[in-house]
């Protein structure tokens, strides 16, 4: 029995060490002074936008009350992204690096998905090197197959998936508060919280899935801790600070 337990632990460690490249993620990117461009010009791997639908149009905003006429998804993200792809001959970046686009559907998910399906219909070839992940008010796992295979979905740690649905899960995400109390990132992370996150990372890496944790602090110590924990998407609202950390 003891040998079996040791083997299982060893297997998890080996598999978790087969880590994905860690990616830098622009959390709530639409709140930047230059949505899309600020993160793109710094070479961020992943960009996040919260979506609402109003009168048939997609808007980016954190809350419904923040929707404004000029802040459409098309204007702030879709058109700039397609322009970069055309410039770079099929790639988002000149060096052919893949771009991750995380779309958090705040409500009316089915209506938003229908509109997104219309958007990608004539651009599937353009988007072959862009990784689109749907989060928030997303379809149920049994409905994943109803949507274009260009779309992947943001997994949840306590959700059960069929084998086919799990293939469409691109990453597994959780709130930092799922693992411990709020942490401002100015002192070392409490050991219990550290081990809880570490177990979450190892478990999902063993299944071949990346992990993302939201609600993490915008501090250098916060970034260092996430890096040490092998969290795959290191997110921030302070783009320059994270970029400087990575460049070191």
């Amino acid at each position: 029995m003891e040998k079996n337990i040791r083997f299982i632990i060893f297997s998890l460690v080996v598999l978790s060490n087969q880590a994905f490249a860690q990616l830098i993620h622009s959390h709530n990117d639409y709140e930047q002074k230059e949505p899309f461009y600020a993160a793109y010009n710094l070479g961020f791997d992943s960009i996040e936008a919260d979506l609402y639908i109003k009168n048939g149009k997609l808007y980016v905003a954190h809350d419904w009350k923040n929707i404004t006429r000029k802040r459409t998804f098309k204007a702030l993200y879709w058109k700039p992204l397609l322009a970069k792809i055309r410039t770079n001959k099929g790639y988002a970046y000149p060096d052919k690096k893949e771009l991750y686009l995380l779309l958090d559907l705040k409500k009316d998910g089915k209506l938003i998905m229908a509109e997104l399906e219309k958007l990608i219909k004539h651009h599937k070839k353009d988007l072959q090197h862009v990784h689109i992940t749907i989060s928030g008010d997303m379809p149920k796992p049994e409905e994943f197959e109803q949507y274009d295979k260009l779309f992947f979905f943001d997994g949840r740690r306590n959700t059960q998936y069929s084998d086919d649905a799990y293939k469409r899960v691109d990453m597994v995400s959780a709130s930092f508060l799922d693992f411990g109390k709020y942490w401002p990132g100015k002192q070392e992370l409490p050991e219990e919280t550290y081990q809880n996150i570490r177990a979450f990372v190892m478990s999902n890496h063993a299944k071949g899935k990346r992990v993302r944790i939201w609600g993490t602090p915008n501090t250098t110590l916060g970034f260092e801790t996430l890096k040490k924990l092998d969290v795959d998407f290191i997110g921030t609202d302070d783009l320059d600070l994270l970029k400087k950390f990575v460049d070191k």
Side-chain angles (χ1 to χ4, degrees):
M1 181 68 177
E2 186 178 344
K3 288 183 178 179
N4 288 338
I5 293 174
R6 286 204 303 267
F7 176 76
I8 290 170
I9 293 173
F10 173 76
S11 298
L12 284 173
V13 170
V14 170
L15 288 168
S16 69
N17 284 337
Q18 297 173 2
F20 304 99
Q22 287 180 303
L23 308 174
I24 53 175
H25 172 72
S26 179
H27 174 252
N28 289 350
D29 182 81
Y30 50 88
E31 294 187 336
Q32 297 294 328
K33 290 183 178 179
E34 291 185 285
F36 180 78
Y37 290 108
Y40 179 88
N41 291 338
L42 289 173
F44 268 60
D45 304 284
S46 178
I47 294 175
E48 176 185 346
D50 290 357
L51 297 186
Y52 286 96
I53 188 166
K54 182 178 181 180
N55 299 327
K57 287 186 177 182
L58 297 181
Y59 293 89
V60 291
H62 193 268
D63 297 296
W64 180 266
K65 64 182 180 181
N66 300 130
I67 293 174
T68 61
R69 183 173 57 85
K70 293 183 178 181
R71 296 179 65 81
T72 66
F73 176 65
K74 275 189 177 180
L76 295 185
Y77 290 93
W78 193 247
K79 289 182 178 179
L81 175 59
L82 291 177
K84 291 296 183 183
I85 290 171
R86 285 192 294 270
T87 299
N88 298 319
K89 300 179 180 179
Y91 293 86
Y93 283 106
D95 62 0
K96 300 184 179 181
K97 179 173 71 172
E98 189 171 67
L99 177 68
Y100 288 75
L101 185 62
L102 178 64
L103 302 179
D104 189 345
L105 318 187
K106 303 307 286 186
K107 69 173 188 174
D108 300 319
K110 288 189 175 181
L111 294 178
I112 294 176
M113 287 301 301
E115 194 62 27
L116 289 173
E117 292 252 306
K118 292 178 187 176
L119 278 180
I120 69 166
K121 187 175 181 180
H122 301 295
H123 295 284
K124 292 183 183 181
K125 186 177 179 181
D126 298 320
L127 296 166
Q128 59 185 323
H129 299 296
V130 175
H131 207 96
I132 302 176
T133 304
I134 304 298
S135 187
D137 187 22
M138 55 190 149
K140 296 177 181 178
E142 58 268 28
E143 299 172 343
F144 288 176
E145 64 180 12
Q146 299 175 18
Y147 296 94
D148 195 281
K149 294 190 184 303
L150 193 67
F151 295 114
F152 288 86
F153 299 92
D154 189 11
R156 294 292 180 266
R157 57 200 297 243
N158 296 320
T159 299
Q160 297 296 316
Y161 299 93
S162 67
D163 290 344
D164 286 339
Y166 201 55
K167 293 175 184 176
R168 301 289 294 275
V169 172
D170 178 44
M171 65 181 80
V172 179
S173 298
S175 167
F176 181 85
L177 296 179
D178 290 344
F179 306 101
K181 295 180 180 179
Y182 171 73
W183 177 56
K186 296 180 180 179
Q187 296 177 330
E188 293 295 325
L189 183 64
E191 182 64 20
E192 183 178 358
T193 304
Y194 185 96
Q195 293 302 332
N196 288 340
I197 295 175
R198 182 63 178 157
F200 170 67
V201 172
M202 290 175 65
S203 174
N204 283 285
H205 281 184
K207 298 173 186 175
K209 300 298 180 184
R210 291 181 170 89
V211 299
R212 177 179 68 98
I213 299 175
W214 72 81
T216 55
N218 293 299
T219 67
T220 298
L221 179 58
F223 304 150
E224 288 174 349
T225 304
L226 293 175
K227 181 176 176 60
K228 186 177 178 182
L229 282 163
D230 291 328
V231 172
D232 302 291
F233 289 84
I234 300 179
T236 190
D237 300 300
D238 191 334
L239 305 184
D240 289 325
L241 184 64
L242 179 52
K243 179 61 174 174
K244 288 176 183 176
F245 169 77
V246 171
D247 287 346
K248 287 183 179 179

